[in-house]
Amino acid sequence: MTDRILIGAHDGTHVFRASRPGYDVKNSGLLPEQLSFDSRWPEIGNILMRGTFQSGATAAETIYFGATFAQPPLVILHMSGPNHDLTQWFLIDVACYYDFNVMLYVWKDRFQVVKDDDSYVGPSPRTFRYTVMKNFYG
């Protein structure tokens, strides 16, 4: 069985690295496709901003990044349960519009969340939390 997890010294630095099945994690020549994770990847930990906001009934909330990027950044958005129930969280993606009538729009300088009252979500207030990350892939 091959070694698949490495935490410690490797290639002159300290890393956390995991390989895909069948690949020895200690092999310095592994391609990114042969790894599940490498803490040296530039994409790791590139959070530009994060935060929360609350909405009542029908609402549109716009958050500006404070900069204009060459490509829209990655925005990860979660919505709480009804009445700010923080024990339930729902990932908001394109499919959520059909379930919740909540849409996420992302531009190079901002993103906008639009919540429609006339849906499964209803008029109950919700908490939204977001994370904005660098886009390395366009």
Side-chain angles (χ1 to χ4, degrees), residues 73-136:
L74 170 66
V75 177
I76 302 170
L77 180 70
H78 291 90
M79 178 180 70
S80 76
N83 300 309
H84 306 296
D85 178 358
L86 303 183
T87 65
Q88 296 180 352
W89 289 96
F90 303 94
L91 177 64
I92 300 301
D93 58 21
V94 175
C96 284
Y97 181 74
Y98 301 105
D99 293 333
F100 302 121
N101 280 14
V102 176
M103 285 298 295
L104 170 65
Y105 301 98
V106 182
W107 293 274
K108 295 177 182 180
D109 65 335
R110 69 192 182 282
F111 73 91
Q112 184 178 56
V113 178
V114 179
K115 177 180 165 286
D116 185 354
D117 222 6
D118 301 325
S119 68
Y120 170 76
V121 169
S124 66
R126 303 283 179 139
T127 297
F128 290 85
R129 64 181 179 198
Y130 61 88
T131 302
V132 180
M133 301 179 73
K134 288 183 182 177
N135 179 350
F136 287 90

Side-chain angles (χ1 to χ4, degrees), residues 41-92:
W41 286 343
E43 298 90 342
I44 304 303
N46 285 290
I47 296 174
L48 299 170
M49 63 189 295
R50 60 192 324 171
T52 62
F53 63 88
Q54 295 181 341
S55 76
T58 301
E61 182 78 22
T62 302
I63 306 290
Y64 287 87
F65 304 133
T68 299
F69 301 102
Q71 297 294 329
L74 170 66
V75 177
I76 302 170
L77 180 70
H78 291 90
M79 178 180 70
S80 76
N83 300 309
H84 306 296
D85 178 358
L86 303 183
T87 65
Q88 296 180 352
W89 289 96
F90 303 94
L91 177 64
I92 300 301

